[in-house]
PDB file of all heavy atoms in Angstrom:
ATOM      1  N   THR A  90       4.502  17.352  -8.751  1.00 97.00           N
ATOM      2  CA  THR A  90       5.781  18.069  -8.718  1.00 97.00           C
ATOM      3  C   THR A  90       6.341  18.183 -10.138  1.00 97.00           C
ATOM      4  O   THR A  90       6.846  19.237 -10.534  1.00 97.00           O
ATOM      5  CB  THR A  90       6.796  17.323  -7.823  1.00 97.00           C
ATOM      6  OG1 THR A  90       6.181  17.090  -6.567  1.00 97.00           O
ATOM      7  CG2 THR A  90       8.065  18.122  -7.627  1.00 97.00           C
ATOM      8  N   ASP A  91       6.225  17.098 -10.902  1.00 97.00           N
ATOM      9  CA  ASP A  91       6.689  17.149 -12.293  1.00 97.00           C
ATOM     10  C   ASP A  91       5.887  18.176 -13.104  1.00 97.00           C
ATOM     11  O   ASP A  91       6.448  18.970 -13.849  1.00 97.00           O
ATOM     12  CB  ASP A  91       6.582  15.762 -12.945  1.00 97.00           C
ATOM     13  CG  ASP A  91       7.599  14.778 -12.365  1.00 97.00           C
ATOM     14  OD1 ASP A  91       8.789  15.134 -12.313  1.00 97.00           O
ATOM     15  OD2 ASP A  91       7.214  13.677 -11.946  1.00 97.00           O
ATOM     16  N   PHE A  92       4.562  18.162 -12.930  1.00 96.00           N
ATOM     17  CA  PHE A  92       3.733  19.140 -13.659  1.00 96.00           C
ATOM     18  C   PHE A  92       4.129  20.567 -13.250  1.00 96.00           C
ATOM     19  O   PHE A  92       4.258  21.457 -14.086  1.00 96.00           O
ATOM     20  CB  PHE A  92       2.239  18.920 -13.371  1.00 96.00           C
ATOM     21  CG  PHE A  92       1.663  17.682 -13.992  1.00 96.00           C
ATOM     22  CD1 PHE A  92       0.789  16.863 -13.304  1.00 96.00           C
ATOM     23  CD2 PHE A  92       1.991  17.329 -15.302  1.00 96.00           C
ATOM     24  CE1 PHE A  92       0.261  15.712 -13.877  1.00 96.00           C
ATOM     25  CE2 PHE A  92       1.467  16.182 -15.894  1.00 96.00           C
ATOM     26  CZ  PHE A  92       0.597  15.376 -15.171  1.00 96.00           C
ATOM     27  N   ASP A  93       4.307  20.746 -11.966  1.00 96.00           N
ATOM     28  CA  ASP A  93       4.680  22.073 -11.459  1.00 96.00           C
ATOM     29  C   ASP A  93       6.033  22.510 -12.047  1.00 96.00           C
ATOM     30  O   ASP A  93       6.190  23.652 -12.483  1.00 96.00           O
ATOM     31  CB  ASP A  93       4.751  22.020  -9.926  1.00 96.00           C
ATOM     32  CG  ASP A  93       5.092  23.369  -9.325  1.00 96.00           C
ATOM     33  OD1 ASP A  93       4.500  24.375  -9.754  1.00 96.00           O
ATOM     34  OD2 ASP A  93       5.970  23.425  -8.432  1.00 96.00           O
ATOM     35  N   ARG A  94       6.992  21.586 -12.086  1.00 96.00           N
ATOM     36  CA  ARG A  94       8.318  21.922 -12.626  1.00 96.00           C
ATOM     37  C   ARG A  94       8.227  22.233 -14.128  1.00 96.00           C
ATOM     38  O   ARG A  94       8.876  23.156 -14.618  1.00 96.00           O
ATOM     39  CB  ARG A  94       9.327  20.791 -12.398  1.00 96.00           C
ATOM     40  CG  ARG A  94       9.694  20.508 -10.971  1.00 96.00           C
ATOM     41  CD  ARG A  94      10.104  21.724 -10.177  1.00 96.00           C
ATOM     42  NE  ARG A  94      11.192  22.482 -10.776  1.00 96.00           N
ATOM     43  CZ  ARG A  94      11.534  23.717 -10.469  1.00 96.00           C
ATOM     44  NH1 ARG A  94      10.843  24.382  -9.561  1.00 96.00           N
ATOM     45  NH2 ARG A  94      12.539  24.308 -11.058  1.00 96.00           N
ATOM     46  N   ILE A  95       7.436  21.449 -14.838  1.00 96.00           N
ATOM     47  CA  ILE A  95       7.284  21.707 -16.275  1.00 96.00           C
ATOM     48  C   ILE A  95       6.681  23.106 -16.475  1.00 96.00           C
ATOM     49  O   ILE A  95       7.125  23.883 -17.323  1.00 96.00           O
ATOM     50  CB  ILE A  95       6.402  20.626 -16.956  1.00 96.00           C
ATOM     51  CG1 ILE A  95       7.130  19.277 -16.935  1.00 96.00           C
ATOM     52  CG2 ILE A  95       6.082  21.024 -18.407  1.00 96.00           C
ATOM     53  CD1 ILE A  95       6.298  18.102 -17.443  1.00 96.00           C
ATOM     54  N   GLY A  96       5.696  23.428 -15.631  1.00 96.00           N
ATOM     55  CA  GLY A  96       5.086  24.763 -15.707  1.00 96.00           C
ATOM     56  C   GLY A  96       6.128  25.845 -15.453  1.00 96.00           C
ATOM     57  O   GLY A  96       6.149  26.890 -16.124  1.00 96.00           O
ATOM     58  N   ARG A  97       7.026  25.574 -14.500  1.00 96.00           N
ATOM     59  CA  ARG A  97       8.063  26.552 -14.184  1.00 96.00           C
ATOM     60  C   ARG A  97       9.028  26.726 -15.362  1.00 96.00           C
ATOM     61  O   ARG A  97       9.428  27.841 -15.704  1.00 96.00           O
ATOM     62  CB  ARG A  97       8.791  26.125 -12.901  1.00 96.00           C
ATOM     63  CG  ARG A  97       9.876  27.061 -12.410  1.00 96.00           C
ATOM     64  CD  ARG A  97       9.383  28.499 -12.276  1.00 96.00           C
ATOM     65  NE  ARG A  97       8.202  28.612 -11.458  1.00 96.00           N
ATOM     66  CZ  ARG A  97       8.207  28.918 -10.172  1.00 96.00           C
ATOM     67  NH1 ARG A  97       9.342  29.132  -9.555  1.00 96.00           N
ATOM     68  NH2 ARG A  97       7.080  29.031  -9.496  1.00 96.00           N
ATOM     69  N   TYR A  98       9.380  25.635 -16.021  1.00 97.00           N
ATOM     70  CA  TYR A  98      10.256  25.736 -17.202  1.00 97.00           C
ATOM     71  C   TYR A  98       9.554  26.465 -18.346  1.00 97.00           C
ATOM     72  O   TYR A  98      10.177  27.226 -19.087  1.00 97.00           O
ATOM     73  CB  TYR A  98      10.741  24.350 -17.660  1.00 97.00           C
ATOM     74  CG  TYR A  98      11.784  23.760 -16.740  1.00 97.00           C
ATOM     75  CD1 TYR A  98      11.595  22.522 -16.138  1.00 97.00           C
ATOM     76  CD2 TYR A  98      12.968  24.456 -16.452  1.00 97.00           C
ATOM     77  CE1 TYR A  98      12.535  21.988 -15.278  1.00 97.00           C
ATOM     78  CE2 TYR A  98      13.914  23.926 -15.587  1.00 97.00           C
ATOM     79  CZ  TYR A  98      13.697  22.694 -15.004  1.00 97.00           C
ATOM     80  OH  TYR A  98      14.632  22.176 -14.157  1.00 97.00           O
ATOM     81  N   ALA A  99       8.243  26.227 -18.490  1.00 96.00           N
ATOM     82  CA  ALA A  99       7.485  26.956 -19.517  1.00 96.00           C
ATOM     83  C   ALA A  99       7.567  28.451 -19.228  1.00 96.00           C
ATOM     84  O   ALA A  99       7.796  29.275 -20.124  1.00 96.00           O
ATOM     85  CB  ALA A  99       6.028  26.485 -19.521  1.00 96.00           C
ATOM     86  N   LYS A 100       7.431  28.784 -17.945  1.00 96.00           N
ATOM     87  CA  LYS A 100       7.521  30.195 -17.557  1.00 96.00           C
ATOM     88  C   LYS A 100       8.928  30.732 -17.856  1.00 96.00           C
ATOM     89  O   LYS A 100       9.083  31.859 -18.350  1.00 96.00           O
ATOM     90  CB  LYS A 100       7.208  30.334 -16.065  1.00 96.00           C
ATOM     91  CG  LYS A 100       7.203  31.763 -15.588  1.00 96.00           C
ATOM     92  CD  LYS A 100       6.984  31.809 -14.094  1.00 96.00           C
ATOM     93  CE  LYS A 100       7.244  33.204 -13.578  1.00 96.00           C
ATOM     94  NZ  LYS A 100       7.874  33.213 -12.275  1.00 96.00           N
ATOM     95  N   ASP A 101       9.941  29.912 -17.563  1.00 96.00           N
ATOM     96  CA  ASP A 101      11.319  30.332 -17.830  1.00 96.00           C
ATOM     97  C   ASP A 101      11.524  30.608 -19.328  1.00 96.00           C
ATOM     98  O   ASP A 101      12.170  31.578 -19.713  1.00 96.00           O
ATOM     99  CB  ASP A 101      12.310  29.258 -17.368  1.00 96.00           C
ATOM    100  CG  ASP A 101      12.382  29.168 -15.841  1.00 96.00           C
ATOM    101  OD1 ASP A 101      12.010  30.152 -15.179  1.00 96.00           O
ATOM    102  OD2 ASP A 101      12.795  28.114 -15.335  1.00 96.00           O
ATOM    103  N   ILE A 102      10.950  29.740 -20.156  1.00 95.00           N
ATOM    104  CA  ILE A 102      11.080  29.943 -21.608  1.00 95.00           C
ATOM    105  C   ILE A 102      10.370  31.244 -22.017  1.00 95.00           C
ATOM    106  O   ILE A 102      10.891  32.041 -22.802  1.00 95.00           O
ATOM    107  CB  ILE A 102      10.503  28.731 -22.379  1.00 95.00           C
ATOM    108  CG1 ILE A 102      11.374  27.490 -22.114  1.00 95.00           C
ATOM    109  CG2 ILE A 102      10.427  29.021 -23.884  1.00 95.00           C
ATOM    110  CD1 ILE A 102      10.814  26.189 -22.672  1.00 95.00           C
ATOM    111  N   ALA A 103       9.194  31.460 -21.432  1.00 94.00           N
ATOM    112  CA  ALA A 103       8.459  32.697 -21.739  1.00 94.00           C
ATOM    113  C   ALA A 103       9.263  33.914 -21.278  1.00 94.00           C
ATOM    114  O   ALA A 103       9.284  34.958 -21.952  1.00 94.00           O
ATOM    115  CB  ALA A 103       7.091  32.667 -21.061  1.00 94.00           C
ATOM    116  N   GLU A 104       9.947  33.786 -20.153  1.00 93.00           N
ATOM    117  CA  GLU A 104      10.746  34.914 -19.645  1.00 93.00           C
ATOM    118  C   GLU A 104      11.937  35.200 -20.559  1.00 93.00           C
ATOM    119  O   GLU A 104      12.304  36.362 -20.775  1.00 93.00           O
ATOM    120  CB  GLU A 104      11.247  34.622 -18.229  1.00 93.00           C
ATOM    121  CG  GLU A 104      10.212  35.012 -17.197  1.00 93.00           C
ATOM    122  CD  GLU A 104      10.660  34.700 -15.779  1.00 93.00           C
ATOM    123  OE1 GLU A 104      11.773  34.165 -15.596  1.00 93.00           O
ATOM    124  OE2 GLU A 104       9.874  34.981 -14.867  1.00 93.00           O
ATOM    125  N   VAL A 105      12.532  34.144 -21.090  1.00 92.00           N
ATOM    126  CA  VAL A 105      13.627  34.344 -22.045  1.00 92.00           C
ATOM    127  C   VAL A 105      13.111  35.162 -23.232  1.00 92.00           C
ATOM    128  O   VAL A 105      13.750  36.101 -23.699  1.00 92.00           O
ATOM    129  CB  VAL A 105      14.201  32.986 -22.526  1.00 92.00           C
ATOM    130  CG1 VAL A 105      15.150  33.187 -23.698  1.00 92.00           C
ATOM    131  CG2 VAL A 105      14.915  32.271 -21.390  1.00 92.00           C
ATOM    132  N   THR A 106      11.893  34.818 -23.677  1.00 89.00           N
ATOM    133  CA  THR A 106      11.274  35.569 -24.773  1.00 89.00           C
ATOM    134  C   THR A 106      11.085  37.031 -24.367  1.00 89.00           C
ATOM    135  O   THR A 106      11.447  37.959 -25.099  1.00 89.00           O
ATOM    136  CB  THR A 106       9.885  34.973 -25.105  1.00 89.00           C
ATOM    137  OG1 THR A 106      10.022  33.572 -25.251  1.00 89.00           O
ATOM    138  CG2 THR A 106       9.304  35.586 -26.361  1.00 89.00           C
ATOM    139  N   ALA A 107      10.540  37.228 -23.168  1.00 88.00           N
ATOM    140  CA  ALA A 107      10.227  38.584 -22.719  1.00 88.00           C
ATOM    141  C   ALA A 107      11.485  39.436 -22.570  1.00 88.00           C
ATOM    142  O   ALA A 107      11.477  40.631 -22.865  1.00 88.00           O
ATOM    143  CB  ALA A 107       9.482  38.511 -21.390  1.00 88.00           C
ATOM    144  N   HIS A 108      12.577  38.823 -22.129  1.00 85.00           N
ATOM    145  CA  HIS A 108      13.801  39.586 -21.886  1.00 85.00           C
ATOM    146  C   HIS A 108      14.729  39.634 -23.081  1.00 85.00           C
ATOM    147  O   HIS A 108      15.803  40.248 -23.026  1.00 85.00           O
ATOM    148  CB  HIS A 108      14.551  39.009 -20.671  1.00 85.00           C
ATOM    149  CG  HIS A 108      13.736  39.076 -19.421  1.00 85.00           C
ATOM    150  ND1 HIS A 108      13.770  38.126 -18.445  1.00 85.00           N
ATOM    151  CD2 HIS A 108      12.820  39.997 -19.006  1.00 85.00           C
ATOM    152  CE1 HIS A 108      12.926  38.449 -17.472  1.00 85.00           C
ATOM    153  NE2 HIS A 108      12.338  39.597 -17.800  1.00 85.00           N
ATOM    154  N   SER A 109      14.329  38.961 -24.134  1.00 81.00           N
ATOM    155  CA  SER A 109      15.182  38.913 -25.316  1.00 81.00           C
ATOM    156  C   SER A 109      15.295  40.312 -25.929  1.00 81.00           C
ATOM    157  O   SER A 109      14.284  40.983 -26.164  1.00 81.00           O
ATOM    158  CB  SER A 109      14.575  37.934 -26.320  1.00 81.00           C
ATOM    159  OG  SER A 109      15.398  37.872 -27.431  1.00 81.00           O
ATOM    160  N   VAL A 110      16.563  40.777 -26.122  1.00 68.00           N
ATOM    161  CA  VAL A 110      16.770  42.109 -26.702  1.00 68.00           C
ATOM    162  C   VAL A 110      16.419  42.077 -28.181  1.00 68.00           C
ATOM    163  O   VAL A 110      15.745  42.963 -28.713  1.00 68.00           O
ATOM    164  CB  VAL A 110      18.250  42.546 -26.526  1.00 68.00           C
ATOM    165  CG1 VAL A 110      18.465  43.952 -27.086  1.00 68.00           C
ATOM    166  CG2 VAL A 110      18.649  42.482 -25.059  1.00 68.00           C
ATOM    167  N   GLU A 111      16.882  40.995 -28.821  1.00 71.00           N
ATOM    168  CA  GLU A 111      16.617  40.871 -30.249  1.00 71.00           C
ATOM    169  C   GLU A 111      15.123  40.657 -30.479  1.00 71.00           C
ATOM    170  O   GLU A 111      14.466  40.005 -29.671  1.00 71.00           O
ATOM    171  CB  GLU A 111      17.377  39.674 -30.852  1.00 71.00           C
ATOM    172  CG  GLU A 111      18.887  39.832 -30.877  1.00 71.00           C
ATOM    173  CD  GLU A 111      19.545  39.490 -29.531  1.00 71.00           C
ATOM    174  OE1 GLU A 111      18.844  38.980 -28.626  1.00 71.00           O
ATOM    175  OE2 GLU A 111      20.738  39.766 -29.368  1.00 71.00           O
ATOM    176  N   ARG A 112      14.662  41.207 -31.578  1.00 72.00           N
ATOM    177  CA  ARG A 112      13.266  41.002 -31.908  1.00 72.00           C
ATOM    178  C   ARG A 112      13.105  39.998 -33.040  1.00 72.00           C
ATOM    179  O   ARG A 112      12.025  39.778 -33.539  1.00 72.00           O
ATOM    180  CB  ARG A 112      12.553  42.320 -32.249  1.00 72.00           C
ATOM    181  CG  ARG A 112      12.464  43.290 -31.122  1.00 72.00           C
ATOM    182  CD  ARG A 112      11.410  43.021 -30.002  1.00 72.00           C
ATOM    183  NE  ARG A 112      11.004  41.686 -29.657  1.00 72.00           N
ATOM    184  CZ  ARG A 112      11.252  41.081 -28.480  1.00 72.00           C
ATOM    185  NH1 ARG A 112      11.948  41.658 -27.548  1.00 72.00           N
ATOM    186  NH2 ARG A 112      10.796  39.899 -28.242  1.00 72.00           N
TER     187      ARG A 112
END
Side-chain angles (χ1 to χ4, degrees):
Chain A
T90 308
D91 290 309
F92 289 138
D93 182 45
R94 294 310 305 164
I95 293 174
R97 182 52 54 96
Y98 287 123
K100 183 184 169 217
D101 289 339
I102 293 173
E104 274 178 359
V105 169
T106 310
H108 299 145
S109 181
V110 182
E111 292 82 8
R112 296 284 30 114

